[in-house]
Amino acid sequence: MKSVLIIGVGQFGSHIAKRMEELRCEVMAVDINEECINEIMPYVTDAMIGDGTNEEFLRSLGIGNYDVCIVALGGLFQTSLETTSLLKELGAKKVISRATNDVQMKFLLRNGADEVVYPEKQMALRVATKYASDSILDFIQLDNNYSIYELKIPRNCYGKTLSDIDIRKKYKVNILTIKRGNDVFIPSSDTVLGENDIAFVIGEMRDIQKCFRI
């Protein structure tokens, strides 16, 4: 069970806090706004009103005891930057901070953040990719090269086996699983692809686009 400190429980931070609690983490939520603390209190292990830029307050939390510290502050970037830097100075094992643009990301990484999340950009990429083609049902970008797509099987593959289409050799694309009705399974080379099948595939974006003509 991981212990997690989340500083900033507005809309973004509260979603993280609730989900991590569901995943059986011990969550300490901190926010300077009393209303935010009152709203999140029923969903987390503990919650406190406090200022993430106050060194003595952070020190009192025992920063080094948390497995992960998440800075989910919105509003003034300076506050997020100061909080991130202080957490690292006080011995935080891992600091994850939120950015809203590329410049913020660079500064956070230079000032103590081990990892930076950029929810607006990540969601924009996901939405743009998903709705660029009727074949794409969902999309997860793993890094700058590799992605996982949830795709409708194209018409030209109906009735063919994975061995027949041989996309791994031709396009360097792997089908991870097939969803058929309510069943999800790992296909074999002799699995016949059907009209209503959904494929979860991994590979480089350009190769997947060529392979499935999206």
Side-chain angles (χ1 to χ4, degrees), residues 43-202:
Y43 303 99
V44 296
T45 310
D46 200 359
M48 292 183 66
I49 301 169
D51 182 358
T53 64
N54 185 310
E55 183 174 349
E56 289 307 310
F57 171 71
L58 290 182
R59 193 184 300 277
S60 72
L61 297 175
I63 298 303
N65 296 323
Y66 294 97
D67 296 304
V68 183
C69 295
I70 300 175
V71 182
L73 296 167
L76 293 175
F77 172 62
Q78 182 67 26
T79 302
S80 182
L81 190 63
E82 288 181 24
T83 302
T84 298
S85 182
L86 278 173
L87 286 170
K88 209 61 180 180
E89 288 176 12
L90 293 172
K93 296 173 184 174
K94 185 168 187 178
V95 180
I96 301 172
S97 301
R98 178 187 183 183
T100 57
N101 58 55
D102 291 338
V103 174
Q104 290 185 5
M105 183 182 296
K106 290 177 183 178
F107 274 101
L108 287 165
L109 289 171
R110 289 173 183 171
N111 287 272
D114 296 293
E115 188 176 335
V116 175
V117 293
Y118 194 162
E120 289 83 3
K121 182 177 181 179
Q122 290 158 353
M123 182 55 69
L125 288 172
R126 185 178 178 187
V127 170
T129 303
K130 180 177 178 180
Y131 293 103
S133 169
D134 291 337
S135 298
I136 301 172
L137 299 177
D138 209 347
F139 157 84
I140 300 173
Q141 186 172 0
L142 301 179
D143 59 22
N144 290 331
N145 296 314
Y146 287 90
S147 303
I148 296 175
Y149 281 80
E150 181 182 358
L151 296 165
K152 297 177 184 177
I153 294 293
R155 186 178 297 275
N156 63 306
C157 292
Y158 294 171
K160 296 181 180 179
T161 66
L162 292 189
S163 180
D164 291 333
I165 61 176
D166 199 14
I167 61 173
R168 184 173 184 177
K169 182 177 181 180
K170 293 178 181 177
Y171 300 99
K172 299 179 181 178
V173 172
N174 286 323
I175 294 183
L176 301 174
T177 59
I178 297 286
K179 183 178 180 182
R180 182 171 292 166
N182 294 322
D183 297 325
V184 177
F185 60 93
I186 299 173
S188 61
S189 60
D190 59 355
T191 296
V192 178
L193 300 175
E195 181 177 350
N196 297 314
D197 286 352
I198 303 296
F200 293 82
V201 302
I202 185 170

